[in-house]
Amino acid sequence: MRILVTGGAGFIGSHLCDYFLARGEDVIAVDNFLTGSPDNIAHLQHHPRFKFMRQDVTDYIRVEGYLDAVLHFASPASPKAYITFPIQTLKVGALGTHKACGLARAKGARFLLASTSEVYGDPLVHPQREDYWGNVNPIGPRGVYDEAKRFAEAMTLAYARAHNLETRIVRIFNTYGPRNAIDDGRVVPNFIGQAIRGEALTVHGDGKQTRSFCYVSDLVEGIARLLASDERTPVNLGNPNEMTVLQFAEKINAFTGNKAGIIFQPRGVDDPNRRCPDISKAKRVLNWEPRVSLDEGLEKTVEYFKKKIVG
Ligand code: NAD
Ligand code: UDP
């Protein structure tokens, strides 16, 4: 297969490139380095089956030759990133998804969209199932991301209905691992970075809001299964091991031996109170569930950040 990954120099995108190259496929990564980094794909520079195209996917994407799949992962992904780049976030979700769908259609390729648990907003249904329509504030600071992804899902299914494009949609819940940008503000890199530097962990609000954390290799396996499946409607992928942010902070301090404790800071606007995926659909249609425990995943992630910070 020949697979194109938009956002291929990002955290998840670069792991997808590694995964498909290891499976023997040809991979083209497209990225403009808005939030990603050349470091994430430096090890692939001389790989004979890897090609990199530096471009903004909101512009026309010109690719020579055939493609079997287009995986659309380009988008700022952390609250800090999409609040810093609100217009780029809306553009890549809207115009970028249009261009990526158009490319897939022109090549007769399968299209997979990276959507998000943020389409559920601050959910009133718990845990979140795919048939829940969500509780999103369109005009809040997070609206640029949530609505861009909701538009992207609508665009994807419009291409499926109007042009018979083979489409897949993954709703990704909080995922972590090596190559998560240390400065993107997300809770996992923030806490691990603070712990390694011996600083107090910054818990937002009272820390009673919940999340669950999926290790990146589990996510990538689920995405590959979804791509190969016949499932056209959105599928949640994430780890259902729910905990409060405060519990997570205590876990990180214990795990790293950080003695600096915790400090409380104001919470961001519209920060979801409870989030946890219902993954029964992924279990049923993909025979998928996460396998990597939080301890195993943290071990690998802390090691990666230590190298980045301490050298
Ligand atoms: P990331 O920031 O590491 O990767 C996104 C990549 O997209 C970056 O390399 C960035 O430079 C690139 N990009 C952004 N705009 C672009 C544009 N206009 N043209 C070309 N490239 C562009 O983030 P990530 O965590 O790897 O997220 C990847 C995808 O998965 C995103 O679509 C995100 O919304 C989705 N997602 C991630 C998570 C998570 O927990 N990591 C959760 C839900 C959804
Ligand atoms: N958070 C926190 N301290 C930090 C960073 C994040 O308490 O230094 C909280 C944040 O308010 C949210 C949760 O951790 O409740 C997860 O935030 P993240 O930015 O990782 O992503 P989100 O799940 O909100 O998209």
Side-chain angles (χ1 to χ4, degrees):
M1 289 214 290
R2 196 160 184 249
I3 299 175
L4 182 139
V5 183
T6 77
F11 161 48
I12 299 173
S14 64
H15 285 282
L16 283 168
C17 294
D18 287 347
Y19 177 93
F20 286 111
L21 287 168
R23 242 178 46 176
E25 324 292 7
D26 286 12
V27 173
I28 303 172
V30 186
D31 205 295
N32 66 352
F33 299 130
L34 181 69
T35 54
S37 164
D39 292 351
N40 291 337
I41 47 168
H43 61 291
L44 299 177
Q45 211 178 353
H46 303 296
H47 194 294
R49 282 181 284 106
F50 180 74
K51 192 178 157 197
F52 178 70
M53 290 165 54
R54 181 170 187 167
Q55 86 149 77
D56 185 329
V57 297
T58 65
D59 296 327
Y60 188 88
I61 311 167
R62 194 175 305 281
V63 178
E64 302 281 326
Y66 71 98
L67 288 174
D68 298 291
V70 173
L71 313 186
H72 183 39
F73 279 70
S75 172
S78 74
K80 179 178 159 195
Y82 54 73
I83 289 164
T84 309
F85 301 114
I87 295 168
Q88 291 92 331
T89 302
L90 283 159
K91 282 181 70 180
V92 76
L95 306 178
T97 304
H98 184 218
K99 295 287 182 288
C101 282
L103 175 66
R105 181 185 176 212
K107 301 288 182 184
R110 197 166 268 216
F111 177 79
L112 184 144
L113 172 71
S115 185
T116 166
S117 53
E118 283 280 324
V119 299
Y120 303 121
D122 186 7
L124 305 175
V125 167
H126 194 80
Q128 291 79 56
R129 287 164 46 103
E130 290 87 348
D131 54 10
Y132 176 49
W133 292 353
N135 177 40
V136 171
N137 173 4
I139 57 166
R142 296 175 86 104
V144 295
Y145 182 66
D146 303 10
E147 297 296 5
K149 291 289 186 180
R150 288 165 70 97
F151 178 94
E153 289 197 5
M155 176 68 86
T156 299
L157 279 164
Y159 263 78
R161 293 188 184 110
H163 297 306
N164 280 321
L165 189 68
E166 277 291 337
T167 61
R168 307 289 178 264
I169 297 175
V170 54
R171 289 189 181 148
I172 303 168
F173 284 65
N174 296 59
T175 297
Y176 72 101
R179 302 189 200 141
N180 220 169
I182 187 113
D183 57 353
D184 81 3
R186 280 185 270 198
V187 70
V188 178
N190 256 19
F191 283 1
I192 295 179
Q194 287 160 348
I196 292 170
R197 292 189 297 266
E199 298 165 8
L201 308 198
T202 53
V203 168
H204 297 167
D206 59 9
K208 286 195 182 134
Q209 66 273 33
T210 68
R211 295 295 188 271
S212 60
F213 302 101
C214 184
Y215 189 66
V216 64
S217 62
D218 279 333
L219 178 80
V220 165
E221 177 61 35
I223 290 167
R225 288 186 192 203
L226 176 61
L227 182 66
S229 79
D230 293 327
E231 187 55 50
R232 279 186 167 210
T233 57
V235 178
N236 288 340
L237 292 181
N239 193 311
N241 177 19
E242 184 183 8
M243 66 195 83
T244 67
V245 167
L246 188 57
Q247 284 168 336
F248 184 60
E250 284 160 355
K251 169 85 192 172
I252 296 293
N253 274 342
F255 193 87
T256 55
N258 182 30
K259 303 275 181 264
I262 285 166
I263 51 167
F264 294 89
Q265 291 187 341
R267 226 169 129 195
V269 177
D270 296 334
D271 184 11
N273 285 308
R274 286 190 80 184
R275 178 185 292 159
C276 182
D278 181 324
I279 59 164
S280 43
K281 185 171 177 183
K283 280 185 183 159
R284 193 175 69 250
V285 300
L286 309 178
N287 190 24
W288 176 90
E289 64 183 314
R291 304 208 170 280
V292 181
S293 70
L294 186 58
D295 279 341
E296 283 172 86
L298 285 179
E299 185 95 37
K300 295 198 173 87
T301 312
V302 169
E303 188 186 308
Y304 170 82
F305 283 123
K306 268 192 185 151
K307 276 201 197 113
K308 281 263 162 192
I309 293 169
V310 188

